[in-house]
Amino acid sequence: MRGDSWFAGVDAGATKIRAALAESDGRIVARVEGPGVNAALSGPDAAADAIASLLRGALRGRTLTGGTLAGAVVGLAGAWAPALGTAISRRLRVLLECRRVIVRNDAVAMLEGLAPRAHAVLLSVGTGAVAVGRTRNGRLVRADGWGPLAGDAGAGFWIGRRALEAALAAYDGRARPSLFTRAVLRRLGLHRPAEDIHRLYARSDARGALAALAPLVITASRRGDRRARAIVRDARRALAATVATVRRRLPPGPILRFASGGLAAAAPEILPPGYSLSPSGGEAGVRGSPDAACLLLAFRRAGLDGSLAAEQTARLDARRVAPGSRRGLPVTERSNPATAAFSRLPPLEMVKLMHAEDLAVAPAVGRILPRIARAVRAAERALRRGGRLIYVGAGTSGRLGVLDA
């Protein structure tokens, strides 16, 4: 295999497309993200075009003279129909000038990549939710994943829908209002629900807007809100029932269990017992990363060892820590799920969303006023003794330091 050949693993979901690219020796050269695509709604050609655009952008400026894309595996959310995967892979082969392009359902691709020789169950929880089991001989078992109209119990949209139901019940008097229910209405721009609710139904991104409420619910639950905790508890029970259904249909004996998806990473408390992003027994240290699993498959299809690429992506994923963890980037430096579809909103919805995010700042500051006061007293004592106040950071902290000086 030529040293200037490239391999790609792609996780193509409705919220975002994420890809990992590696050289033939396994060295990761790019990890990129782009807007999501719903192949069932937009069609196979539009889905292929979006995936190809992301990969071409990643390769642009990196490809060596004479370099080629030698293989790609795409894990596509909802791609259960073989005809859909075939149509997308056929178009991608033309767009990417690559003969070895395979499109799989994203959950199936993860199972093939992470547990090719084990009985395994994958619980994928993001905007939607599905549990897929796979036996050693490749037989598949599935539960849920029926979409927002008919299923996806315990997923982001499901959680957001119940949060909105609770907020509207509090608004019209069927339940008592709380900070949580008011925050839900503000987040959706429903300042006068009776007058504004029709705007929510008219939004092209209504499903995403409700799914984006899930982080708000998780945060409120962690802070002890009774309604939010009930929603999280019910989500966990629904997901537990889903994986139990799959487990009953697999052979008895040891089984590898693991989870994936944005909500699974952000809110591990919704996962049933025994499920996490770090499966014991997984191959090559991959920890629940869909694009890494697809990249591993791309190497295997070419008869190569992709363990180095898998190890590197695992280390990169380890830095993407769930909110509330003491490790990884602080919340201010991570992507905000509530604004994932910001660029596709009409101007008024953009401004409302910015305003709703601004409203969350003052309560957050209010909760730590005693700590701020202690910091002020400590700084005062240090300065009176001839000490220094040191600003750490880049950007705003530097400008404040200059002003204070």
Side-chain angles (χ1 to χ4, degrees):
M1 183 66 65
R2 296 166 58 109
D4 53 358
S5 295
W6 308 82
F7 291 87
V10 183
D11 172 33
T15 302
K16 65 182 177 183
I17 302 173
R18 193 176 180 207
L21 292 97
E23 290 185 335
S24 57
D25 61 2
R27 184 172 59 88
I28 296 293
V29 294
R31 200 86 182 277
V32 292
E33 290 185 6
V37 63
N38 188 322
L41 297 178
S42 60
D45 287 353
D49 291 348
I51 295 168
S53 176
L54 182 68
L55 290 178
R56 283 198 297 256
L59 288 169
R60 191 175 298 121
R62 292 182 177 272
T63 306
L64 303 176
T65 303
T68 60
L69 183 64
V73 172
V74 178
L76 181 64
W80 293 103
L84 179 62
T86 300
I88 294 174
S89 61
R90 183 184 298 120
R91 183 167 178 82
L92 282 174
R93 290 186 189 111
V94 175
L95 295 174
L96 298 173
E97 299 180 355
C98 176
R99 291 179 297 175
R100 191 181 285 115
V101 178
I102 299 170
V103 177
R104 290 275 194 277
N105 171 270
D106 56 347
V108 174
M110 281 200 71
L111 285 168
E112 290 182 3
L114 301 183
R117 291 179 293 275
H119 298 317
V121 176
L122 168 67
L123 175 62
S124 179
V125 192
T127 299
V130 65
V132 182
R134 185 177 185 272
T135 64
R136 291 189 186 94
N137 61 10
R139 181 173 67 88
L140 295 173
V141 177
R142 166 188 168 184
D144 210 346
W146 300 118
L149 297 182
D152 289 350
F157 177 85
W158 188 96
I159 289 173
R161 164 69 185 267
R162 275 149 187 77
L164 179 57
E165 290 175 355
L168 291 175
Y171 175 80
D172 65 21
R174 288 174 290 155
R176 293 182 62 181
S178 67
L179 291 175
F180 166 63
T181 60
R182 295 188 186 100
V184 170
L185 296 179
R186 286 198 304 269
R187 179 64 60 87
L188 293 173
L190 300 178
H191 305 291
R192 296 183 178 85
E195 301 173 19
D196 298 336
I197 191 68
H198 71 281
R199 296 190 179 94
L200 177 62
Y201 282 93
R203 286 176 61 166
S204 60
D205 68 330
R207 180 190 177 196
L210 288 186
L213 292 174
L216 188 152
V217 177
I218 298 300
T219 300
S221 173
R222 291 171 179 170
R223 292 173 179 165
D225 183 89
R226 180 175 57 84
R227 288 187 184 86
R229 292 180 68 178
I231 294 171
V232 171
R233 182 190 64 235
D234 291 345
R236 183 170 58 249
R237 289 174 176 171
L239 294 170
T242 298
V243 295
T245 300
V246 170
R247 182 64 185 91
R248 286 195 300 269
R249 296 164 62 189
L250 292 176
I255 191 165
L256 179 64
R257 297 174 294 181
F258 58 103
S260 72
L263 191 55
E269 60 262 47
I270 71 171
L271 298 177
Y275 285 83
S276 72
L277 300 180
S278 303
S280 60
E283 288 208 348
V286 181
R287 300 180 184 277
S289 172
D291 59 334
C294 289
L295 183 59
L296 196 55
L297 275 179
F299 273 93
R300 285 193 195 133
R301 293 282 176 172
L304 298 174
D305 178 16
S307 58
L308 176 60
E311 290 168 4
Q312 290 187 25
T313 51
R315 286 196 295 270
L316 291 172
D317 288 332
R319 302 173 188 171
R320 301 169 65 88
V321 182
S325 171
R326 295 181 182 274
R327 298 182 296 111
L329 293 174
V331 67
T332 53
E333 307 306 313
R334 291 195 298 263
S335 299
N336 182 354
T339 58
F342 186 82
S343 61
R344 298 193 291 273
L345 295 177
L348 180 58
E349 297 299 330
M350 286 182 175
V351 175
K352 286 183 177 180
L353 183 54
M354 291 170 64
H355 179 59
E357 291 295 314
D358 287 341
L359 291 175
V361 174
V365 173
R367 286 189 293 271
I368 61 169
L369 288 178
R371 279 183 278 175
I372 294 175
R374 287 197 297 272
V376 170
R377 286 196 297 270
E380 178 192 12
R381 287 195 297 268
L383 292 173
R384 287 186 182 277
R385 296 169 184 168
R388 294 177 296 170
L389 175 61
I390 300 174
Y391 294 81
V392 179
T396 301
S397 57
R399 290 190 288 272
L400 288 174
V402 171
L403 290 173
D404 283 354

